[in-house]
Each structure stands twice: as structure tokens, then as C-alpha cells.
Amino acid sequence: MVFVWLGLFAFVGCGGAKAPAPDEHALNKPTTPLAAAPPKSPPADALRSASGLASKTLKLGHGEQRPKPQDKVRVRFTAWNEKGKRADSSEDRGGPEVFEVTGVIAGWTEALQQMQVGEQRRLWVPDKLSYPGRPGAPRGVVVFDLELFEIIAGAPPLPVPEDVAAAPVAAKKTSSGLAD
């Protein structure tokens, strides 16, 4: 059974198509292939967030831009389960993939918004930030190597209306009390 790991994964049938890449030749070359599984526990110098996510930068990125919640990203990833077995990889599906920043597991959403283009990070994602309660999904800490190739700008969020304290004077109230 093939399991599309990132749970993300309304992705499979909902717009997970790959966008054109700026340099397809460079994207199809793994930059730091790993021969063995990474350590199950983060090293002492890993960054740890209040949520429980741990990460270590493997390669610095460039620029100041970081993905925002409304953006999409082109990434390469490899995942290992808590037993150290490689469980999934974008390479298994032909190379880098495009995902919505908020359409992935919570641990990825958090990490992606801290990354710069070109950056590679290793993530130790606790169960509560990966696939909590999802039948058939891995349990425990899932380790990911994640490389950010491109940020694809999304539409900016809609502005908040100036006056939301009360319904407009001309609004009709329904029997439930909502303004129509």
C-alpha cells in the first residue's frame, strides 16, 4: 500500500500538480543524498520551538523572503519513521513537489515559514505535529529532510472590514438573529 506521507494530502487529488520550475535540471539533482537514516533524536544544538518541533539547518538559504501561509512552495523531502526506516521521499515520485504552506502537516507549516530559498533543514516532528489520530499513519517522531527550492506567491489575505462591530443599518435580521 502506498501511503502519501505528508497527510498533506488532500494534495493527491486537489491541486498538487507541479508548477514549472525555474531550473528543472538543477532541481532533479539531489544536493545531499543520505546513505543512512538520520538520528532518531535531535542533537543538542537543534533549534526547539514551543510546539515541540526540533530542527537543524543542514544548508543555509539566501535572501530575506520566507513563505507566508497563503503561499505554495516547491520542496524536496525525505521522511523516516521512528524505527529509522525511510518511509517516503519526493524522489520516489520524480523530484521536487509543490505544496500549499498550510496544506501540509503542522510541523512542516511551522518550519517552512522560517526557511529561505535554498535552505535545507532536518526536522524532528512529534506526533502531535504530524499525523495525530490518523489511522494507518506513523506514530511517534517522524524525521524529515526538507529542502526549499521556490516560494510561489499566493494571493494576499483579504483586508478586514473597517467596521465589524455591528451589522450595517440597512441589514435585515433573520429569525436566528443574523444580519442578512
Side-chain angles (χ1 to χ4, degrees):
M1 175 171 136
V2 175
F3 184 105
V4 180
W5 256 72
L6 297 175
L8 309 159
F9 294 166
F11 154 79
V12 171
C14 303
K18 295 180 183 178
D23 181 359
E24 284 292 335
H25 182 33
L27 289 176
N28 290 323
K29 291 183 189 172
T31 51
T32 53
L34 294 172
K40 293 180 190 179
S41 300
D45 63 343
L47 299 174
R48 288 172 169 73
S49 73
S51 71
L53 177 69
S55 68
K56 182 166 177 67
T57 301
L58 304 176
K59 177 182 158 194
L60 293 174
H62 53 81
E64 295 299 316
Q65 185 181 7
R66 298 176 195 285
K68 296 177 185 69
Q70 69 268 17
D71 294 336
K72 291 183 180 182
V73 291
R74 179 184 305 277
V75 297
R76 176 180 290 135
F77 71 91
T78 301
W80 292 268
N81 65 23
E82 69 179 349
K83 294 179 181 177
K85 180 181 175 192
R86 184 177 146 183
D88 195 11
S89 174
S90 55
E91 298 306 308
D92 295 344
R93 290 186 289 283
E97 296 187 52
V98 175
F99 299 108
E100 293 181 10
V101 171
T102 57
V104 293
I105 61 173
W108 269 42
T109 297
E110 181 179 335
L112 283 166
Q113 292 179 81
Q114 299 170 15
M115 294 175 70
Q116 299 167 309
V117 171
E119 185 172 335
Q120 291 178 344
R121 280 196 188 192
R122 178 160 296 150
L123 310 175
W124 287 264
V125 183
D127 187 58
K128 69 181 182 178
L129 299 178
S130 58
Y131 312 99
R134 184 170 298 167
R139 296 287 171 250
V141 173
V142 182
V143 180
F144 291 94
D145 277 358
L146 182 61
E147 183 175 7
L148 177 60
F149 285 107
E150 178 183 12
I151 299 169
I152 303 163
L158 296 173
V160 176
E162 291 180 25
D163 182 15
V164 293
V169 176
K172 297 177 186 172
K173 287 190 179 178
T174 65
S175 59
S176 67
L178 295 175
D180 189 16

